Amino acid sequence: MSITVSAPGKLMLFGEHAVVYGHPCIVTAVDQRMTATLEQVQKQMFTLVAPDVGIEMYEKPMGELGRGEMPKNAGFVEMAVKNFFAQHPMQGGIRIETRSQFKSTFGFGSSSAVTVCVIKGLSALPGLQLSPREIFALSYKTVLDVQGKGSGFDIAAAIYGGTLSFAAGGKTIEPLTIDHLPLVVGYTGIKADTVTIINEVKALAEAQPGFVERVYKDMHDLVEASKEALARADWKTVGESMNKNQGYLDKLGVSSPMLDILIQTARDAGAYGAKLSGAGKGDCMIAIAEDIDRQKIGEAINHAGGQWIDVRVGAEGARIE
Ligand code: MEV
């Protein structure tokens, strides 16, 4: 018996970093997806085939999941299977093959999307049908087991899709009604390490707690105001909020020369506003503009040494294919 599940990647619109410390953020799902095919096998063995991240074939006895060595790119899938089977014991083993429509270096959340695919797929195999909340809890536990840190916003985007208002740990997961969001996305060509950057911001917060708390408070207010501007499709105000959010992230020290170049390029080419999206230091930047200007801004990003990624946002959440 086999099942194929897909889940979307994500882009953070507002509130990164502050969300790790209990503040809200806004995240949207992108129309590039991760796919996992799961097959129950008789042998008590876990097998992973993930060619997009260089894993031709990785095998481990089911009883040893989570123990000993875990190749970097296998960790999320292995821990997802371990956590699922700990709660829902089953006979036999599992073979999983993953495919991604986007590069794991973009910062679109390939680890969270693959984790969600595996948990949702396993929950459907024996006819358990876990609720989205239960899938969130198991997937978020898996992410924390592997990388120790994170708000879970990327997990929520992969499960629910659309555009969400989210607060750390899933305290709030609220879909926002936004029909259309004219974003332009540019990749810096630099892979950022989220956990390292979270730790750098934590060190800054320990050194200057009052300063960082004020930045988080300003971001919190900005997220609330941006929800209303997004609902009104008021792209000019959304753009101004993006510029403000970028200013706050700059204060936290998480921008980078390449992000600054691409953000300024997008603004100069006619975007209402632009900011980095995610942990910072690399990965992607986003800009908001009138539809008619998107192509011109995308080409300017390419010209400036970035890579324009032509995605649509507000995509559907995890689904059985
Ligand atoms: C990383 O994409 C966004 C952060 O806020 C981390 C997180 O929320 O898990 C920096």
Side-chain angles (χ1 to χ4, degrees), residues 10 12 16-17 19-20 150-153 194 198 278-279:
K10 56 76 194 165
M12 177 72 96
E16 47 272 271
H17 287 289
V19 66
V20 179
S151 63
F153 81 105
T194 300
I198 291 179

Side-chain angles (χ1 to χ4, degrees), residues 104-128:
S104 62
T105 47
F106 284 173
F108 278 6
S110 52
S111 309
S112 42
V114 81
T115 302
V116 165
C117 286
V118 170
I119 301 284
K120 188 173 169 79
L122 287 172
S123 79
L125 271 178
L128 275 174

Side-chain angles (χ1 to χ4, degrees), residues 211-260:
F211 170 74
V212 172
E213 231 359 276
R214 271 195 305 282
V215 173
Y216 288 164
K217 168 80 180 57
D218 287 342
M219 276 213 216
H220 188 133
D221 294 344
L222 190 66
V223 166
E224 296 304 336
S226 304
K227 269 200 246 178
E228 287 161 31
L230 282 165
R232 290 196 309 270
D234 176 355
W235 307 139
K236 192 160 180 296
T237 304
V238 170
E240 284 162 10
S241 297
M242 280 190 178
N243 290 341
K244 278 192 197 152
N245 197 149
Q246 175 63 19
Y248 299 145
L249 292 165
D250 229 351
K251 287 189 181 180
L252 296 180
V254 299
S255 199
S256 73
M258 193 56 182
L259 280 165
D260 291 346

Side-chain angles (χ1 to χ4, degrees), residues 11-285:
L11 282 166
M12 177 72 96
L13 296 180
F14 293 102
E16 47 272 271
H17 287 289
V19 66
V20 179
Y21 300 97
H23 298 281
C25 75
I26 303 176
V27 57
T28 191
V30 300
D31 66 351
Q32 296 195 2
R33 303 180 77 82
M34 173 70 72
T35 300
T37 298
L38 295 85
E39 194 184 335
Q40 264 184 313
V41 294
Q42 276 187 342
K43 211 166 137 198
Q44 295 269 343
M45 191 64 96
F46 164 71
T47 305
L48 174 64
V49 177
D52 294 327
V53 288
I55 297 181
E56 293 311 324
M57 163 97 87
Y58 167 64
E59 281 194 312
K60 210 173 204 180
M62 291 295 283
E64 285 174 28
L65 292 181
R67 290 198 220 129
E69 244 182 72
M70 273 196 283
K72 191 169 172 284
N73 292 325
F76 289 90
V77 176
E78 179 170 337
M79 286 307 290
V81 173
K82 177 181 165 27
N83 286 337
F84 184 89
F85 276 75
Q87 271 194 14
H88 307 282
M90 267 185 257
Q91 289 302 312
I94 193 93
R95 182 185 186 280
I96 299 178
E97 188 163 339
T98 64
R99 292 265 165 206
S100 181
Q101 288 177 328
F102 57 88
K103 285 199 197 141
S104 62
T105 47
F106 284 173
F108 278 6
S110 52
S111 309
S112 42
V114 81
T115 302
V116 165
C117 286
V118 170
I119 301 284
K120 188 173 169 79
L122 287 172
S123 79
L125 271 178
L128 275 174
Q129 296 297 354
L130 300 193
S131 69
R133 268 284 166 190
E134 288 168 312
I135 294 173
F136 179 86
L138 263 177
S139 303
Y140 186 40
K141 173 177 168 30
T142 300
V143 167
L144 292 182
D145 284 349
V146 178
Q147 67 177 32
K149 297 219 156 76
S151 63
F153 81 105
D154 38 7
I155 293 283
I159 294 171
Y160 295 89
T163 301
L164 304 171
S165 167
F166 176 89
K171 251 188 331 222
T172 313
I173 303 177
E174 180 200 344
L176 303 180
T177 317
I178 299 164
D179 292 340
H180 175 62
L181 190 57
L183 278 194
V184 183
V185 182
Y187 176 51
T188 56
I190 299 156
K191 175 77 199 120
D193 183 50
T194 300
V195 174
T196 304
I197 302 167
I198 291 179
N199 284 334
E200 285 170 9
V201 174
K202 184 163 169 262
L204 179 69
E206 279 159 9
Q208 301 180 55
F211 170 74
V212 172
E213 231 359 276
R214 271 195 305 282
V215 173
Y216 288 164
K217 168 80 180 57
D218 287 342
M219 276 213 216
H220 188 133
D221 294 344
L222 190 66
V223 166
E224 296 304 336
S226 304
K227 269 200 246 178
E228 287 161 31
L230 282 165
R232 290 196 309 270
D234 176 355
W235 307 139
K236 192 160 180 296
T237 304
V238 170
E240 284 162 10
S241 297
M242 280 190 178
N243 290 341
K244 278 192 197 152
N245 197 149
Q246 175 63 19
Y248 299 145
L249 292 165
D250 229 351
K251 287 189 181 180
L252 296 180
V254 299
S255 199
S256 73
M258 193 56 182
L259 280 165
D260 291 346
I261 288 170
L262 299 186
I263 288 166
Q264 195 53 49
T265 298
R267 289 173 185 160
D268 292 346
Y272 288 128
K275 64 182 277 291
L276 67 86
S277 173
K281 298 271 170 102
D283 289 352
C284 286
M285 49 71 64

